[in-house]
Amino acid sequence: MPQTNKTELLPREQEDYIDRLSEVLLYRYGTQHPKVFIHTYGCQQNVADSEKLKGMLEKTGCGFTEDKEEADIIIFNTCAVREHAEDRVFGNVGALKALKRRKPSLLIALCGCMMEQEHIAEKIYNSFPYVGLVFGTHVIHRFPELLYNAMTTGKRLIERGTDDGKIYEGIPVRRDGSFKGWLPVMYGCDNFCTYCIVPYVRGRERSRKPQIVIDEARSMINAGYKEITLLGQNVNSYGKGLEESVNFPRLLKSVADIEGDFWLSFMTSHPKDASKELIDVIADNPKISTHLHLPFQSGSDRILKLMNRHYDVAKYMDIVNYAKSRIPDVDLTSDVIVGFPGETEEDFQCTLDLIEKVEFTSLFTFIYSPRVGTPAARLEDPDSHEVKAERMGRLLRLQERISAKRTASMVGRRLRVLIEEQAREGILNARTHGGVVVEVPGSTDLIGSFAEAEITEAGNFILRGRLV
Ligand code: SAH
Ligand code: SF4
Ligand code: F3S
């Protein structure tokens, strides 16, 4: 049952903590603002959360650094989605021990999805005594208070809270990018795919009010943002539990209708409720990206059932074919899991067949990683890592061939691109409206602007061209 949405403003007491922290920090560091190093693991949800942490920190007068050595506060915002992600965090926290010994005043804080798992939060707290603050995703709006307490009491603090089903608006945000920005439209996930930890660490699905999203998008566009990506674990279920009668396609259209020259993207779209209405809105609104990220996970109906995905291959192909018919040049991408417990060679062949049929522009591929507390972790998983890795190798070779065919078909075209960054001396990385990287010669003052590019050459996954 979707719960009624409860939107609240950032509690006044947190604003007070921000003020009190500013005073403490000023007293402690003088005008040499303390420097914070934040590393973000995982997905864009975490990136968006880190941007809130930075927004709150900025208000307290903190500065930021990319160099751990000169940091006064180090924050790792962690991801729990696969074992590899967790291992990296454990390794990197271990490596901070020497730094803390050299600089006893250093505050090390860990937050994010890993901390919402009790066994992990406790392991961190017990194995790394130099970590001063641990907090989970449900208490991020209380960060000023937690940081204040950690800094003033000198005691170690662990705060996980529970999912109160609320959305706190009005938290200041300091975005990393100046022309590409993330805009969360909803939090949490109710889908409980059997392999996935996200619903356990992010809580129940809740949508932000449409007017708040539209106003934030407008202020980003006024501030010069050229690409806005609407974020949610499953944007297609946006709107459930809101008083307003709205769904994701309508929200998308309302944002696209804001005046200005910008591109609009979104992620992620769950195939079980990706509707023709959504595809029509993309097709009819030129500002909306022609990139559709539609994770299929497996091409076997048997495995999709075990994954609790609520669609089959026929339904997936239905929406893909509709997208191809309505959006010329659509760039389809997907997430795939190889080696779900009990996946047979036959199941895996179905995954290859689907990839061959859809012809994705690119894929994000993962070997299944068991997550404590999820239903799939209790299934028999007879295949060795070698078997799974061999399957992954075959999948990657197939996709490389398909991607190369797709990029080759774009040579000779003239496309509008957004120039994003310097690739190397004299060469810029730009992106097409469908999200494909194009390398073009040019100077860095073009970064953050739209341009026309002629595609002259294709690599396996990227394009090369020149500005016209
Ligand atoms: N909400 C998004 C995905 C979020 S997680 C969606 O449903 O599409 C990003 C991707 O990580 C998933 O699509 C899945 O392919 C992968 N993933 C999640 N849990 C995993 C696990 N236990 N092992 C391997 N890959 C996993
Ligand atoms: Fe995980 Fe499934 Fe939710 Fe995506 S939709 S976050 S894969 S449970
Ligand atoms: Fe990882 Fe949390 Fe995102 S588990 S993938 S950072 S929602």
Side-chain angles (χ1 to χ4, degrees), residues 100-141:
K100 173 75 180 176
R101 197 179 295 139
R102 284 204 301 279
K103 194 187 217 178
S105 66
L106 173 68
L107 176 72
I108 300 172
L110 299 184
C111 62
C113 295
M114 271 173 83
M115 304 308 131
E116 283 301 338
Q117 296 169 282
E118 199 166 342
H119 68 287
I120 300 274
E122 269 165 24
K123 179 174 168 186
I124 294 260
Y125 197 74
N126 296 329
S127 325
F128 303 103
Y130 48 90
V131 169
L133 174 60
V134 169
F135 62 101
T137 59
H138 300 316
V139 290
I140 188 168
H141 61 284

Side-chain angles (χ1 to χ4, degrees), residues 136-180:
T137 59
H138 300 316
V139 290
I140 188 168
H141 61 284
R142 285 177 48 214
F143 176 60
E145 169 195 345
L146 301 175
L147 186 62
Y148 178 84
N149 289 338
M151 295 211 92
T152 53
T153 63
K155 288 201 188 111
R156 300 180 71 207
L157 197 65
I158 179 164
E159 188 71 51
R160 293 179 40 251
T162 47
D163 174 17
D164 61 6
K166 289 183 186 161
I167 288 184
Y168 294 92
E169 295 292 358
I171 299 180
V173 174
R174 182 184 193 269
R175 291 198 158 82
D176 295 335
S178 58
F179 61 93
K180 270 174 76 118

